[in-house]
Amino acid sequence: MVDKSEEDKHNHKIHDEAGESIVTKDNAHSEKVKVAAFSIVASSSLAILKVVIGLSTNSLGILSESFHSGLDTIAALMTLYAIGMAIRPPDLSYTYGYAKIESISSLAEIILLFGVAGWIFYEGIERILFKTVHPEITVYSFIILFISIAVDFGRSRSLYRTARKYGSQALEADALHFKTDIFSSAIVIVGLLLVLLLKIPNADAFAAIAVAGMIIYTSLGLGRRTLDVLLDKAPKGVNQQIVETVSGLEGVNKAHNLRVRKVGSETFVDMHIEVPRTYTHDRAHRVATAVEEKVRKTLPNSDVLVHVDATESSSETIMDRIRLLAAEIEGIRNVHSIYLSHISSLSDEEITYGKEEHTSPAESEKRNLSHIQKITKLPSKSPPLHLYLDVQMEYGLDLNTAHKVIDNFEKRLKSEIPLIEKITTHIETESGERTAIGTEKDIDQSYLEKIRMIALSFNLVVDCSDIGIVDNNGELHITFTVKIKPDPEKNIISIEDAHKIATNIQNQIVKETGASRVIVHTEPA
């Protein structure tokens, strides 16, 4: 049983959210049922009239037309049933929905058409070669055929318009049938005129064979398109269109494993995208969402599923790789204060890592690892590196356990980054999971002024404000904000310079006040 809310959700707008065509599935279903019902009434009425006149005049051409109309009635009934099934929402058994019922109905109609065409062809050959039949030509023979052409023209246009509007293959099959009926009726009229005017008795049979050929030709074209849908053939050019659409989007390195299938009027798109593995899960998810929205704008009424592959990128630095490896090791919460140095002194022309001896964290961040992805690509005399870093371990680990974790981490680093030969690790712990809540104390004015003067005594510091004193389980914590002006020579203040100033202020205040912790927030002046 389908949940009512699920059914309501399924009755969504058929076309894109941009507002080009706003039609609900209920409206689409209603319109398709109307044109299918009209087709049934018209086909059955024409079939009965053609049978009566065909038998009374002994005209194979008209009889073939009556069978064709009778088949159209059966096909229209099948179409009506398929439309009713296709509107059902997806469920646990049919997760893509029931829209392909229309394609199956279309294929069944085509098989029936081939059967009728075969009978007409057989009867026509028999009349031409083995028996002589003189059809009786009356005015009713022409009247019913002209009526048939007029009716077929009207419903063919109506069916085609609805089929294109809602992507209904079953209605398209009906429309194609009636379009061929127009031509086949015209051929039968020509055959009857040849019998009447030129006294060629077999002209009617030749016209019937031409009708059979027309049926087979048009059915083959529709059959190919129907099989394409049933076999999940991607619409022509859509793969390239999607790749071009997502190429250039921020964060997307490459799109691949693209799969597209049509189910009724809806297009289902499954694809993989490659994003830098340095991205957070949230950022990678936002990139995937942007890709989905872009594809939906390109392919209205589409269902898009994007799988994210985290891959190495050309912009990935050695610092990125170290942090990524640390994130994979259980027990390690963070790494920081990363430095590198050459173990031997070779020319910087062969490998570019910092200065002659040490590389600061800020400089190291800029070093690109794209040229050392494989050790075999390095120059034979590339100097190995010595890595220095602080590793923050999980709270509560004993030293033996922490040491084993670090050993594993260092082995991974040397394996993944062969250029690193030596590693010096400083182990520290993170704060406890339960954070103590301190109490803000009233600030003594003289004490406040002392802190302010210490801060303002440092070069480039022009203001000190928002001073706070917190008692945290007997420990004294001091917080405040300083404003720093740019260096007159550089006309700018770097983060690194601001950090140095803040650290110096912290150390001086701890020395003069005995505070357990000092937090300095820096702002540009």
Side-chain angles (χ1 to χ4, degrees):
M1 183 177 177
V2 180
D3 187 71
K4 181 65 179 173
S5 63
E6 196 66 31
E7 229 177 281
D8 292 339
K9 187 191 297 182
H10 186 67
N11 292 331
H12 59 275
K13 293 175 183 178
I14 272 194
H15 292 289
D16 67 303
E17 297 102 357
E20 292 178 7
S21 181
I22 301 176
V23 184
T24 65
K25 285 199 169 184
D26 283 339
N27 291 341
H29 176 66
S30 176
E31 189 171 343
K32 287 195 282 187
V33 166
K34 285 179 182 178
V35 294
F38 172 74
S39 176
I40 291 170
V41 173
S43 296
S44 56
S45 301
L46 287 174
I48 293 170
L49 288 173
K50 288 178 182 178
V51 167
V52 171
I53 295 175
L55 290 175
S56 64
T57 60
N58 204 22
S59 169
L60 180 60
I62 295 178
L63 282 174
S64 68
E65 278 291 291
S66 68
F67 278 110
H68 198 172
S69 295
L71 182 64
D72 288 343
T73 303
I74 297 172
L77 287 168
M78 292 169 60
T79 299
L80 188 61
Y81 172 77
I83 289 170
M85 288 291 293
I87 192 64
R88 294 174 62 180
D91 53 36
L92 293 177
S93 298
Y94 296 91
T95 53
Y96 286 96
Y98 293 80
K100 283 196 176 182
I101 291 284
E102 292 195 28
S103 298
I104 295 172
S105 170
S106 175
L107 188 63
E109 291 180 37
I110 291 165
I111 293 171
L112 288 174
L113 277 173
F114 276 124
V116 171
W119 178 84
I120 294 172
F121 188 80
Y122 170 79
E123 186 68 18
I125 292 295
E126 187 177 35
R127 289 197 180 193
I128 292 170
L129 299 179
F130 303 109
K131 61 182 180 181
T132 303
V133 178
H134 297 281
E136 181 183 348
I137 311 299
T138 68
V139 68
Y140 298 108
S141 304
F142 294 100
I143 290 174
I144 188 58
L145 289 173
F146 280 114
I147 291 174
S148 177
I149 288 174
V151 172
D152 287 339
F153 178 77
R155 60 179 173 168
S156 175
R157 288 190 62 185
S158 176
L159 286 165
Y160 242 122
R161 185 171 57 251
T162 307
R164 293 296 185 189
K165 186 176 181 180
Y166 302 114
S168 172
Q169 211 162 31
L171 291 180
E172 184 185 359
D174 270 358
L176 186 61
H177 289 172
F178 302 139
K179 188 176 181 180
T180 59
D181 286 351
I182 296 171
F183 294 106
S184 61
S185 296
I187 291 172
V188 172
I189 290 173
V190 172
L192 293 177
L193 286 173
L194 289 175
V195 173
L196 180 65
L197 300 177
L198 302 180
K199 308 301 181 184
I200 305 175
N202 289 334
D204 181 56
F206 281 111
I209 291 173
V211 170
M214 178 74 71
I215 293 171
I216 292 173
Y217 175 77
T218 53
S219 297
L220 284 173
L222 179 60
R224 178 181 57 78
R225 293 196 300 277
T226 302
L227 286 174
D228 285 347
V229 172
L230 291 174
L231 296 176
D232 292 330
K233 181 179 179 181
K236 188 176 181 180
V238 74
N239 282 28
Q240 185 63 30
Q241 186 181 9
I242 292 173
V243 170
E244 290 176 356
T245 296
V246 303
S247 295
L249 284 180
E250 184 182 358
V252 179
N253 293 335
K254 181 183 177 183
H256 61 96
N257 285 17
L258 185 61
R259 295 185 296 182
V260 183
R261 64 187 308 200
K262 288 284 291 183
V263 180
S265 61
E266 196 168 9
T267 304
F268 288 86
V269 180
D270 298 337
M271 63 188 299
H272 287 227
I273 59 169
E274 294 181 2
V275 302
R277 61 180 183 168
T278 52
Y279 278 17
T280 62
H281 292 301
D282 180 65
R283 188 175 181 185
H285 176 72
R286 282 187 274 115
V287 171
T289 301
V291 169
E292 290 174 355
E293 291 174 353
K294 191 77 171 177
V295 173
R296 288 192 189 103
K297 287 181 180 178
T298 304
L299 299 175
N301 196 33
S302 60
D303 186 300
V304 187
L305 178 64
V306 176
H307 174 82
V308 176
D309 296 327
T311 60
E312 295 181 29
S313 64
S314 59
S315 61
E316 188 175 296
T317 66
I318 192 169
M319 299 302 176
D320 291 330
R321 180 169 288 193
I322 292 168
R323 291 191 179 100
L324 286 167
L325 288 172
E328 294 176 5
I329 305 297
E330 188 174 351
I332 295 179
R333 302 305 294 264
N334 189 25
V335 292
H336 61 93
S337 302
I338 304 171
Y339 293 84
L340 293 166
S341 69
H342 291 317
I343 291 177
S344 59
S345 55
L346 287 179
S347 170
D348 282 344
E349 293 178 0
E350 296 188 36
I351 179 166
T352 54
Y353 278 96
K355 300 177 182 178
E356 291 183 359
E357 290 300 327
H358 288 277
T359 304
S360 70
E363 292 168 333
S364 297
E365 289 287 359
K366 301 176 184 176
R367 308 308 182 196
N368 192 288
L369 264 185
S370 60
H371 66 294
I372 64 166
Q373 295 302 316
K374 295 184 179 179
I375 190 67
T376 54
K377 291 185 177 181
L378 289 171
S380 59
K381 296 182 180 180
S382 294
L385 297 174
H386 191 156
L387 171 64
Y388 308 84
L389 75 165
D390 291 358
V391 180
Q392 195 177 64
M393 308 297 295
E394 284 185 0
Y395 180 75
L397 291 180
D398 61 83
L399 183 59
N400 285 336
T401 303
H403 181 67
K404 290 178 182 178
V405 172
I406 292 299
D407 275 349
N408 180 36
F409 177 44
E410 290 179 353
K411 288 176 183 177
R412 285 285 305 275
L413 282 172
K414 290 177 180 179
S415 173
E416 297 281 339
I417 312 174
L419 196 60
I420 295 176
E421 187 173 289
K422 293 183 180 181
I423 302 175
T424 300
T425 306
H426 170 70
I427 300 176
E428 59 187 38
T429 184
E430 66 172 351
S431 301
E433 293 294 331
R434 291 181 296 177
T435 303
I437 301 177
T439 303
E440 292 194 7
K441 299 176 62 176
D442 292 334
I443 303 173
D444 180 78
Q445 191 63 34
S446 61
Y447 195 78
L448 183 150
E449 191 62 27
K450 180 180 179 180
I451 294 171
R452 190 192 310 276
M453 294 309 296
I454 292 172
L456 293 174
S457 68
F458 285 86
N459 187 34
L460 303 180
V461 176
V462 297
D463 187 32
C464 176
S465 60
D466 299 331
I467 301 173
I469 308 294
V470 177
D471 183 352
N472 196 333
N473 291 334
E475 294 183 351
L476 183 64
H477 293 188
I478 300 174
T479 66
F480 54 90
T481 299
V482 296
K483 290 187 177 181
I484 304 173
K485 68 180 181 180
D487 189 323
E489 295 181 1
K490 300 178 182 178
N491 201 30
I492 193 171
I493 184 76
S494 68
I495 294 176
E496 187 175 3
D497 290 338
H499 176 69
K500 287 179 181 178
I501 293 171
T503 301
N504 291 335
I505 295 173
Q506 286 174 333
N507 293 337
Q508 188 64 30
I509 289 180
V510 168
K511 181 179 178 181
E512 295 195 24
T513 64
S516 301
R517 188 179 184 189
V518 177
I519 302 173
V520 181
H521 173 68
T522 57
E523 292 182 356

